[in-house]
Amino acid sequence: KGIAKCENLLGTIYGDFGDVQKAIENFESALSKTENDKNYSDLGMIEINLGVVNSIKGLHDEALVYFKRALINYEKVGDKKRMAEIHQNIGMVYSKKGDHRYAINEFDESLALSIETNYLQSIGIVYLSKAFAYSKLEDFSLANAFADKSLEVAHKINDKLTIAEVYKIKGIIQRTVKNFILAENYLQTSLRLNKETNNQLNQAETYQELGLLYKDMGKAKESKESFELALEYFKKINSEADIKLLENILSSK
């Protein structure tokens, strides 16, 4: 049990640094040592983490299986904070699949549980996720409103990772409405914060957004450089969907 807990923690640390492959190896090893245990909380946490890393790799159906298994385990022990996290994660998978309405329903479930338990970090992340979903639905007024709510909560608890993500979402919104200068400022701020926290995954995602922005601005050199930096990381973690997307973009130049 002790080894499984250590491996799960190591997986979380590797995940925070963006080393997805090492994270998966640790989580799978931890799960193999825990599956026959009746400690539903420990089992559920490992399943959440495996759901997260599978989602990062673009394996959405596998991610949903892990998240739903984790939800069942946390319902058994009545842990509403973890249930809030899982609904948030399920919503993010639906967002990645393009099912933004389903995603918003999951975010609302998460928000209700987070408010009930006064779980500030989760509240900030849910607001951010809703901002992303509404930006994809091109409801930019709601997207900006939820991004601002997320930023307010993240500053209150000094959550730099969420702050960086808020600036990325704000950059995406401004690019979409063709306010390119403000979009670049937001994305560069996000990139700086992600470098400070050494979050490689978020750096790659921000470079990808910068590539799209510079493409829209007609800055071909900067766009290519940003896409190549993003592609370098996605190849490292073997994220097939992201690799295919970026290679198609680069080959069309």
Side-chain angles (χ1 to χ4, degrees), residues 201-213:
L201 172 62
N202 288 355
Q203 285 180 52
E205 291 177 346
T206 307
Y207 275 126
Q208 183 171 327
E209 293 301 332
L210 278 166
L212 293 169
L213 172 64

Side-chain angles (χ1 to χ4, degrees), residues 8-111:
N8 186 50
L9 287 168
L10 280 168
T12 302
I13 293 166
Y14 282 124
D16 285 343
F17 285 135
D19 193 335
V20 175
Q21 191 53 48
K22 284 188 177 179
I24 288 172
E25 290 170 7
N26 279 276
F27 292 144
E28 287 181 342
S29 182
L31 184 64
S32 70
K33 296 177 177 67
T34 312
E35 280 183 315
N36 295 324
D37 196 353
K38 295 299 183 183
N39 190 331
Y40 300 116
S41 295
D42 285 354
L43 184 57
M45 177 53 65
I46 298 167
E47 289 167 342
I48 288 174
N49 290 334
L50 278 163
V52 170
V53 290
N54 275 279
S55 179
I56 289 170
K57 287 177 68 67
L59 302 173
H60 303 313
D61 292 336
E62 288 88 338
L64 286 172
V65 168
Y66 281 119
F67 287 138
K68 290 178 179 180
R69 282 171 55 181
L71 186 60
I72 291 169
N73 280 314
Y74 279 115
E75 284 172 345
K76 288 177 182 176
V77 295
D79 191 331
K80 292 183 178 180
K81 284 189 174 182
R82 293 302 184 198
M83 289 160 62
E85 290 178 1
I86 296 166
H87 280 296
Q88 147 70 23
N89 283 318
I90 291 172
M92 285 306 299
V93 176
Y94 282 128
S95 273
K96 289 184 177 182
K97 287 166 69 74
D99 297 330
H100 301 296
R101 294 293 179 190
Y102 283 109
I104 290 169
N105 289 338
E106 292 291 333
F107 297 147
D108 287 339
E109 291 276 356
S110 177
L111 186 59

Side-chain angles (χ1 to χ4, degrees), residues 87-176:
H87 280 296
Q88 147 70 23
N89 283 318
I90 291 172
M92 285 306 299
V93 176
Y94 282 128
S95 273
K96 289 184 177 182
K97 287 166 69 74
D99 297 330
H100 301 296
R101 294 293 179 190
Y102 283 109
I104 290 169
N105 289 338
E106 292 291 333
F107 297 147
D108 287 339
E109 291 276 356
S110 177
L111 186 59
L113 289 163
S114 300
I115 291 172
E116 183 182 344
T117 54
N118 194 32
Y119 190 5
L120 286 179
Q121 184 176 25
S122 180
I123 290 169
I125 293 170
V126 173
Y127 283 149
L128 173 64
S129 300
K130 291 190 73 166
F132 175 76
Y134 280 116
S135 73
K136 290 298 183 181
L137 293 170
E138 298 188 354
D139 189 336
F140 300 117
S141 177
L142 269 177
N144 268 313
F146 280 113
D148 288 338
K149 278 178 170 286
S150 178
L151 192 61
E152 181 183 342
V153 174
H155 276 301
K156 187 180 293 186
I157 60 175
N158 195 30
D159 183 351
K160 288 187 177 181
L161 289 176
T162 298
I163 292 168
E165 284 295 281
V166 171
Y167 282 119
K168 186 183 79 176
I169 297 298
K170 281 180 164 287
I172 292 170
I173 293 168
Q174 294 302 320
R175 177 179 67 83
T176 306

